[in-house]
Amino acid sequence: MFSKSISAISILLLVVAGAFHVARAAIANDHHQQQLINEAANILAYEAGAKTSFAISREHYQPITDCMFVTSESGPFSYVSTSNSDDVCGIYFLTDPDRTVEIHFDSYDVPCDHRGLLAVVDGWELNGELFPNEGDHILPIKDRVTEFCGKNRWYRSKKIFTSSQNAALIQYRVPLRGRGFVVSARYPKNPRPCNVLSVSTTDPFTLRNYGKRINCTLMAVYPGTVQVIALEVGSISPSHSVARMTETGTLRKCDTMSPQDQVQIGGSRDLDTTKLDVIDSICGIDSKSDIKESVPYDVTVVRLISSGYCDNSVTVAIRSIIDNDMLEAISGL
């Protein structure tokens, strides 16, 4: 990635201020049509429509004017440098949990000889921290970042990149006035979502491993209450020709009882879930679980750890901690 990372001040605006203001706005809206929006800072916009169409005329380009820009729209988006600054900026794409992000560079003019650079990240990066982390992703870090520069016009082949989850990032440095790029996005269905950056403060989501040896993480960038709705972690997959276990209820302290198949609930101060502070670890078979855990951290995390010998799943909802005084105390706003 870029040697010069996005500034810590901008990161705090996105992760801390943005998360808390967005959570307050979402809670105030109708729960069936809520939009995670902070228009003043342009920090986070979640909109359901116009996710697949590229049939937009050039005069309808959406100009990118903020260094930290988050969107779930299709675009097309245009960036034109207004100075010779070598600041590094980012476009953060976020979509539904069961979709991926497909990024199309329609054209770009980013001179290599002026240290111009474009980078596409499979996931989100903030201040050197990655989501999903290396241990939870199907690809090594070196295969999740593509850097390039130069010039590509409309009549040439587009550069296309597809993420592994519902979040992706373009980082760019265009230190020459008048140069830039045009980019669009599509959001194809993901039949087996694993790692998910939450876009809702109410909707439940099911993490599952599909019988594979893989870790899957649901992350929300706000302090929240995790409600476990259903749990099936530790039952043997039918492919192993062993009968499923009967309901055991929710078992606790599974980090010592069943470390290879468990659900970790916790929080962190940034996107790196390897630094997760685990509040609870659970496993077992419970179709009517009523577990609730409050996570008073900047980031709320539910992580499903799977050995590959079990067909694991957990259904949870992460609801924002709605008490304003508590939010302000945690965020320091």
Side-chain angles (χ1 to χ4, degrees), residues 187-256:
Y187 302 97
K189 279 285 188 178
N190 183 2
R192 291 191 171 187
C194 178
N195 295 298
V196 172
L197 189 60
S198 177
V199 296
S200 172
T201 60
T202 58
D203 295 336
F205 183 76
T206 300
L207 286 171
R208 63 178 73 245
N209 72 322
Y210 303 98
K212 295 182 178 181
R213 182 178 181 179
I214 191 172
N215 299 330
C216 297
T217 298
L218 174 64
M219 173 184 288
V221 288
Y222 48 81
T225 297
V226 176
Q227 178 183 2
V228 182
I229 299 170
L231 179 70
E232 188 173 334
V233 176
S235 63
I236 302 299
S237 171
S239 63
H240 291 82
S241 301
V242 179
R244 286 181 175 273
M245 295 188 297
T246 59
E247 293 221 0
T248 62
T250 300
L251 307 177
R252 316 301 281 268
K253 298 182 179 179
C254 292
D255 53 342
T256 55

Side-chain angles (χ1 to χ4, degrees), residues 55-69:
I56 304 174
S57 59
R58 297 187 182 186
E59 63 267 20
H60 291 136
Y61 292 159
Q62 182 174 344
I64 297 171
T65 57
D66 296 326
C67 190
M68 304 287 291
F69 181 76

Side-chain angles (χ1 to χ4, degrees), residues 271-286:
L271 298 185
D272 187 358
T273 54
T274 62
K275 301 175 183 178
L276 178 68
D277 288 341
V278 179
I279 295 174
D280 201 357
S281 61
I282 60 175
C283 54
I285 314 297
D286 195 340

